[in-house]
Amino acid sequence: MSSVVEGPCYGTSISTSVFLITSDGRTLRLPIPSSSPKDPLNWDAAKRRLVLGNLFFFAMLAVMQLQSLGVLVPVMAIDYLPQGISILTFTPMASSSLVFVGFSQFMWIPLSLAIGRRPVFLLANVLLAVGSIYAAVSPNFYHHVVAQSIQSLGLMLIDLTFIHERIMVISIFWSVGGAISNAMVAVVPRIDNLFHSWRGFYYVLFLLALISSLVAFFLCPETYFHRPALAFDSRVLVQSTAERVMIYENWTEAGVQKALPALPVTMAELRADELKIWGLDIPDRWSRMGAIYPQILLLLLNPLVFWVMILNALATTGILAFDLSYGVLLLSPPYSLSIDKVALIKLACAAGSLATFPIAGLLNSKITRRLATRNGGRQSVEHYLPSFILPVITGFLAQFLYGLAAQRKMHYSLIFVAYGMTYFSFISLYTCNSLWAVEAFPCFAAASLTVVMGVSYILPFALSFVIKPWTTRVGQLSMHATLGGLILGVGSIGIPIAIFGKQWRAAILKRYGNMQGGALRPQ
């Protein structure tokens, strides 16, 4: 076991990598699960998959609500434009849910450190259901804006996975969830025809969100679990707040007390405890939540986080630029497609989403494992950098192709292909950026994820106010080519990071590594 010794995440001895692969090729299961039935890494495979499935289902509904914008905007305009809402006001305001989802990340993720993941996830489910039914019955445009804005996301994936599993699980989370949600959006016009109104989509979304809420309450226990120090082979293993393993000769050297054996509990007692909405024992919970915000300010100025934050925001802006234009474009001459055919563009998105799993998941998993093996078994976050190459290039080409096809009125199949490519880039980058946010600074993981995910929604909302006039002034080709160029340029920052990133991270951690508030399980 001496080979898995990791330097402390804080102080003068800083580890910027994790020992993951042994000399005989075995992958270590880190973090080390405890024997507690409350430890999510100690759950059987069926229970873990059930909880992950509910997370996937909820995320799919939330993404479907956001991605339905392109199909619903032309139809909603029929109802709302007569109310005096100009098209320049309607287009960016229709994307208002982005800014609220973005700002909610600065509340949900820190709150999950204070009260646990389960109450936050349940609240997010309830808000999605309430927002959906409110959108369905909203009497005017501004009520609909409010309804969209109270639908948001939750966080539990990291608790349920070992380090070596995360690239696959997060890839499945984004690719499969995105594929199913876009395939469902493709049938939105048929749902609207059934209800004779675009509001029918929100009625169906409400029922699905209600199902998600019930499943979350009964089948999703708390996943926040702080693993105690444990004895192994006459030594003491301590798992830090940043999921690093440190080995000490005795309990005195470790600076912790040996945990008493847990009292046996019956299945009924365990089940009753799992159904609790509130009650997780977290010392100094609110000070822990408050400690994350100084880290957020620090990470906003950290170039190793700033670049993925902007890259994520540009990927979201690329999708938003498509969503705000393709509906009107394909409904107008020379295409004049029916709304049913326009909605089929979401099948191209579904195909692009599915394509991310074999590339962002399977292929990148093999690449990172090979790089870790060549690095003496140590996995470094820089091993994720090759995963950025293809989605960055694809994102640039997709924006250029869409702008060219839209401006020159080329065959609509090229618009479908461009959107599928954009979605491949979008999902792949979200997978890579999520992994980078968690692994680049493990002791800042929660704060880093808050920054990357929050800004990736807030910045596109701000840009939505200029996309329409920008396109009117310079044309589709110039606007989308510029956006694609920005994606390519920001993505290229990964080159110097691949060369100097490890030294930069070590220097930052040496100076600020004692700020533990943003760790996954702060002590």
Side-chain angles (χ1 to χ4, degrees):
M1 282 296 297
S2 59
S3 61
V4 299
V5 175
E6 284 287 327
C9 187
Y10 316 106
T12 59
S13 179
I14 307 267
S15 171
T16 56
S17 62
V18 57
F19 189 88
L20 200 60
I21 301 173
T22 63
S23 58
D24 60 358
R26 290 184 297 109
T27 300
L28 298 177
R29 292 164 64 85
L30 299 175
I32 302 172
S34 70
S35 59
S36 172
K38 296 182 180 180
D39 187 346
L41 295 182
N42 191 40
W43 294 344
D44 60 63
K47 186 174 183 178
R48 277 211 298 158
R49 288 169 184 165
L50 184 63
V51 176
L52 285 170
N54 189 207
L55 292 176
F56 290 168
F57 184 66
F58 170 74
M60 178 192 72
L61 297 181
V63 171
M64 183 169 67
Q65 182 269 329
L66 291 173
Q67 292 302 316
S68 64
L69 182 65
V71 175
L72 292 177
V73 161
V75 184
M76 288 190 293
I78 298 174
D79 285 354
Y80 289 136
L81 291 179
Q83 297 180 12
I85 307 298
S86 72
I87 190 64
L88 289 178
T89 301
F90 180 88
T91 299
M93 287 295 289
S95 62
S96 62
S97 55
L98 288 175
V99 70
F100 285 88
V101 170
F103 278 117
S104 74
Q105 304 305 309
F106 292 89
M107 178 181 70
W108 292 136
I109 297 178
L111 190 62
S112 72
L113 297 179
I115 65 176
R117 280 42 157 174
R118 175 174 163 83
V120 171
F121 184 55
L122 291 176
L123 179 59
N125 270 278
V126 170
L127 288 178
L128 179 61
V130 172
S132 300
I133 193 63
Y134 187 23
V137 300
S138 56
N140 58 52
F141 174 71
Y142 293 105
H143 280 263
H144 184 79
V145 168
V146 173
Q148 276 194 321
S149 303
I150 61 177
Q151 303 173 57
S152 55
L153 297 172
L155 171 71
M156 293 162 81
L157 279 180
I158 303 302
D159 294 334
L160 288 159
T161 53
F162 295 97
I163 291 175
H164 71 277
E165 295 176 332
R166 287 175 186 165
I167 190 168
M168 294 291 290
V169 171
I170 293 178
S171 175
I172 293 173
F173 181 82
W174 284 108
S175 64
V176 177
I180 296 175
S181 61
N182 277 289
M184 294 180 69
V185 170
V187 301
V188 164
R190 298 184 184 277
I191 296 175
D192 294 345
N193 290 337
L194 183 64
F195 287 85
H196 305 292
S197 169
W198 55 264
R199 299 176 189 270
F201 166 74
Y202 289 104
Y203 283 117
V204 173
L205 187 62
F206 166 70
L207 292 176
L208 294 175
L210 195 60
I211 293 171
S212 179
S213 300
L214 292 173
V215 173
F217 178 76
F218 287 106
L219 299 178
C220 287
E222 177 59 61
T223 62
Y224 184 110
F225 183 79
H226 186 77
R227 295 175 183 89
L230 56 97
F232 182 86
D233 195 23
S234 301
R235 289 178 172 83
V236 178
L237 274 64
V238 178
Q239 301 187 77
S240 75
T241 62
E243 297 187 320
R244 296 304 190 256
V245 178
M246 292 164 284
I247 300 179
Y248 300 91
E249 292 298 326
N250 52 59
W251 292 98
T252 303
E253 182 185 341
V256 297
Q257 293 184 348
K258 185 176 182 179
L260 295 174
L263 296 174
V265 296
T266 65
M267 185 60 67
E269 290 173 330
L270 179 62
R271 186 70 185 129
D273 188 66
E274 288 181 343
L275 289 176
K276 289 181 180 177
I277 298 178
W278 184 282
L280 189 64
D281 184 19
I282 304 178
D284 302 322
R285 60 176 76 234
W286 300 115
S287 61
R288 297 175 191 278
M289 176 180 174
I292 197 175
Y293 291 103
Q295 282 196 1
I296 288 175
L297 294 176
L298 172 65
L299 291 170
L300 284 171
L301 303 175
N302 185 333
L304 298 181
V305 174
F306 185 82
W307 84 281
V308 292
M309 177 186 75
I310 298 300
L311 186 59
N312 226 36
L314 289 173
T316 307
T317 303
I319 290 290
L320 181 62
F322 275 50
D323 282 344
L324 294 179
S325 64
Y326 78 79
V328 174
L329 176 67
L330 295 176
L331 287 169
S332 305
Y335 303 112
S336 302
L337 301 180
S338 67
I339 191 64
D340 287 4
K341 288 185 177 180
V342 170
L344 293 179
I345 196 172
K346 288 298 180 179
L347 295 181
C349 297
S353 296
L354 284 179
T356 63
F357 175 65
I359 296 175
L362 294 173
L363 180 60
N364 289 338
S365 180
K366 292 182 180 298
I367 291 174
T368 54
R369 178 180 172 81
R370 182 172 180 81
L371 291 174
T373 302
R374 294 176 59 183
N375 192 38
R378 288 184 172 272
Q379 179 175 293
S380 175
V381 69
E382 283 77 25
H383 295 164
Y384 293 125
L385 289 175
S387 308
F388 287 84
I389 297 174
L390 187 58
V392 166
I393 294 174
T394 304
F396 164 71
L397 293 177
Q399 292 293 330
F400 182 81
L401 177 60
Y402 181 85
L404 183 67
Q407 183 159 314
R408 298 189 178 180
K409 306 300 181 184
M410 300 168 72
H411 195 273
Y412 67 84
S413 62
L414 293 176
I415 295 175
F416 279 46
V417 170
Y419 202 5
M421 291 172 60
T422 297
Y423 220 85
F424 167 81
S425 172
F426 170 73
I427 295 293
S428 297
L429 287 175
Y430 260 62
T431 300
C432 299
N433 292 333
S434 299
L435 287 165
W436 182 274
V438 172
E439 303 292 348
F441 298 97
C443 41
F444 305 156
S448 183
L449 206 57
T450 300
V451 169
V452 172
M453 292 302 169
V455 175
S456 69
Y457 288 103
I458 296 171
L459 183 59
F461 169 76
L463 293 176
S464 70
F465 287 88
V466 302
I467 287 176
K468 188 72 176 181
W470 182 16
T471 305
T472 302
R473 186 173 65 255
V474 303
Q476 291 273 19
L477 177 57
S478 180
M479 191 277 290
H480 282 281
T482 302
L483 185 56
L486 288 172
I487 293 174
L488 185 62
V490 174
S492 299
I493 295 176
I495 298 173
I497 289 177
I499 301 171
F500 305 108
K502 186 173 292 188
Q503 295 92 322
W504 294 346
R505 286 192 299 118
I508 292 170
L509 285 171
K510 186 174 182 179
R511 182 168 182 177
Y512 299 105
N514 61 335
M515 300 174 63
Q516 303 181 30
L520 296 175
R521 279 163 282 279
Q523 294 177 338

